[in-house]
Every structure is written in C-alpha cells, then in structure tokens.
Amino acid sequence: ASDVYKRQVVIVHNGIIENARIFRSILTKKGVVFHSETDSEVISHILEYELARDNSPTKALRRTLSKLVGTWGLCAIFLEHDVMVCARNGSPLIIGQGDGETFVSSDPHALSSHTQRVVFMEDGDIATLTHDNITMSNIHGHSFDTDVTILEEEWEEAVDYFVKTLKSVSYTHLRAHET
C-alpha cells in the first residue's frame, strides 16, 4: 500500500492539525511509512491518497481539508500537475501576482519586493494557482472572483489613518502617560 504514497505532493503548512494522530494511526495501518512526527506529513499523505481517487489537485485538497480539525495556512505543489493549491483556516496566507509569476507568503511585506498586487485569503478560501492565473473557491466548492489589493494603496490608507489618529490625540494626554 505504501507505493501509492510516493511523494506526489509537496506541502508547506503553518498551523496545527488537532486530529493528526487519528489519521497517522489509520494511515499506518494501511501501510504508510512516516518519516517524521509532524502533522504536516499526515496532511501530505492524506492529500496523496485523495489525489489517487480522481487526479484533481483542487478536489483532493478540498476533500483532505474536510477531514481535518485545526488551523492551516497550506500550499501544496503537485509534482505531476502544473498547479499549486493553497488554503487558509486560521493562519494568514497572502498570494502575490506578478507578471507571469505567483508568490505565496504569510506576510505581505515579504511580497512587496516582488509585486504590489496581492490577494488576502480568508478562512475557508482555496486558491488554485498557475504561473499566470489565480482561481478562488471555498472548501464547499463554490467559486468566486479574486479580489486583488494593491499594497502601496493599502499602506497609504493605513499611514493616513495613523497620522489622522495621532493628530486627534492631545499632546498633554500623551505626556501624562509618559510620566
């Protein structure tokens, strides 16, 4: 049975899967050999099992996530497909869209030297990425339009708000808190 799980998927995962031990036990009984104690490896093996069902990366990730309890900012690269699929639940995940390239990070500042066009994923979002396209859906399979934010505009709004807030606070109030 372990031949089915020969590294067809590589994942990056930020979060904690609360029911990983249950799936580790089930997969071990099916002959899967684990090389670490991480919940990320559990996700990878479940994802490979689901991919073998219909060879659809997005559907495989959706089915995998429906089994998990916990948090994740997750990206999966499917070695036999020209696609990366990312999902968010409780851990930040941001997609950067450049010219013919796509980036993923948990922090928009890490993307700013590569692109100003970003998509802030929300909990339950799934993004299917190719080198030039972002397709958004949710864990239930409903598709929706990608909402692209321009970082410079977003940061300018934040700075304007901060300056406006500072101007509205009296300096005597601030000095009173310093002493």
Side-chain angles (χ1 to χ4, degrees):
S2 63
D3 289 344
V4 174
Y5 306 103
K6 291 289 186 199
R7 306 283 46 123
Q8 301 168 32
V9 179
V10 177
I11 71 161
V12 176
H13 166 239
N14 179 21
I16 298 172
I17 304 305
E18 297 169 15
N19 58 347
R21 285 185 185 190
I22 295 166
F23 285 106
R24 179 180 298 276
S25 175
I26 292 168
L27 291 168
T28 299
K29 289 176 184 172
K30 290 185 176 200
V32 175
V33 176
F34 286 88
H35 301 285
S36 74
E37 295 296 318
T38 66
D39 53 358
S40 298
E41 187 178 7
V42 172
I43 296 169
S44 180
H45 285 295
I46 296 170
L47 191 50
E48 288 174 337
Y49 176 81
E50 291 297 336
L51 184 64
R53 287 179 52 187
D54 61 7
N55 204 32
S56 169
T58 303
K59 289 179 182 176
L61 183 61
R62 191 172 286 120
R63 286 191 302 268
T64 298
L65 297 177
S66 71
K67 296 170 174 33
L68 302 179
V69 175
T71 60
W72 53 80
L74 171 70
C75 289
I77 299 172
F78 296 83
L79 301 182
E80 296 181 9
H81 298 81
D82 190 23
V83 67
M84 177 168 47
V85 184
C86 301
R88 177 188 171 180
N89 185 49
S91 295
L93 204 56
I94 300 127
I95 302 166
Q97 189 174 35
D99 295 324
E101 55 190 356
T102 306
F103 308 91
V104 182
S105 177
S106 61
D107 180 1
H109 299 288
L111 300 174
S112 64
S113 64
H114 304 286
T115 184
Q116 295 296 309
R117 298 171 40 84
V118 298
V119 175
F120 290 94
M121 293 182 69
E122 300 291 333
D123 285 349
D125 286 356
I126 295 176
T128 304
L129 313 174
T130 62
H131 70 284
D132 63 352
N133 192 36
I134 300 171
T135 304
M136 298 297 293
S137 62
N138 64 23
I139 197 163
H140 305 293
H142 304 290
S143 297
F144 56 91
D145 291 334
T146 305
D147 186 17
V148 176
T149 300
I150 307 301
L151 285 179
E152 286 180 0
E153 293 172 5
E154 185 79 13
W155 289 337
E156 285 174 11
E157 289 174 17
V159 169
D160 289 346
Y161 175 78
F162 179 71
V163 169
K164 184 190 285 185
T165 303
L166 279 179
K167 286 180 180 178
S168 69
V169 176
S170 75
Y171 291 107
T172 54
H173 177 74
L174 289 174
R175 281 193 298 262
H177 286 287
E178 290 177 359
T179 56

